[in-house]
Amino acid sequence: MTTHKQFKKDAHELADAEGISYTAARRRLTTEVAEGSQDWAAMLAGLVARSRGKFTTEEFTDRLERGGQEYTGYLADGREAAIEALEYALEHGVDAVDDELAAVAASKGMPITTDDLAEALRRVRDHSLVSDDGSSVAETAYWVADRYWMHRWNNALDRAGIGEYDTAVGPNAYRRFALHEWMAPGHSSGSVPGLH
C-alpha cells in the first residue's frame, strides 16, 4: 500500500472513530502539532488566553497532560469545528449559517463583515484568537461558529429516525461542545473528554 493510500485509510478510520468529517480528519492528521514546537507554544498561549484567566500556562500544560490524547483531540476537534463554520460562512455568506445572525449583530452595532470573517478564520488557524477581547473579529468567530453548529445539531435532530442519535445527531452535538471548550477552555458545562 502506498503512503498516500495509507494516509487516506487513516483519515477514513479517524473520521469513523471520532464522528468527524473526512476533511476534518485529513486536516487533523496533517496539522498535528509536535510538543515543543513554535506551533505548540502558539496553541498553548491561545488556549490560556481564551481560558479568561482561569489557567496559567503551567496549569494549562498540566490540564493537557491530565487529559492526554482524548482531551487534546477534543480541543483539535473544537478548532476544526470553528474553521469549518468560518469557511462555510465565507463561501456561502452569514445568512446561510443563520438568517437572523447578521441583522442581530448589526442591531447591536457590530455588523459581521467579510473582512471580520476572514480575520477570524486566520486567527483560529494560527491559534491567536482571543474570544473575549470585545473585538468584532472575536464576536464574529464565536457567534458564526456557534450558530453554525447549533443549526447542524437541530437539523440532525429534526431528520434523525429512531435509534439514529449516535450517528446523525451525536457528532454535531459533540462538535458544538468541542467548539465551546476550544473557545473558552475550562468554562464548559458537563464532562469534558479526558478530564471527567
Side-chain angles (χ1 to χ4, degrees), residues 18-20 149 164-176:
E18 306 240 350
I20 60 176
W149 288 103
E164 292 181 332
Y165 185 89
D166 288 345
T167 58
V169 180
N172 293 303
Y174 169 86
R175 296 291 297 263
R176 187 172 185 218

Side-chain angles (χ1 to χ4, degrees), residues 17-68:
E18 306 240 350
I20 60 176
S21 70
Y22 172 73
T23 302
R26 283 187 52 191
R27 198 176 290 139
R28 185 186 308 165
L29 289 173
T30 57
T31 60
E32 285 185 354
V33 180
E35 189 168 339
S37 71
Q38 189 174 28
D39 287 341
W40 174 262
M43 180 195 74
L44 183 59
L47 290 165
V48 170
R50 286 189 304 281
S51 78
R52 303 179 203 157
K54 187 166 184 149
F55 302 106
T56 65
T57 300
E58 294 78 23
E59 290 168 335
F60 208 90
T61 300
D62 179 61
R63 183 177 176 86
L64 289 169
E65 288 171 4
R66 281 186 297 111

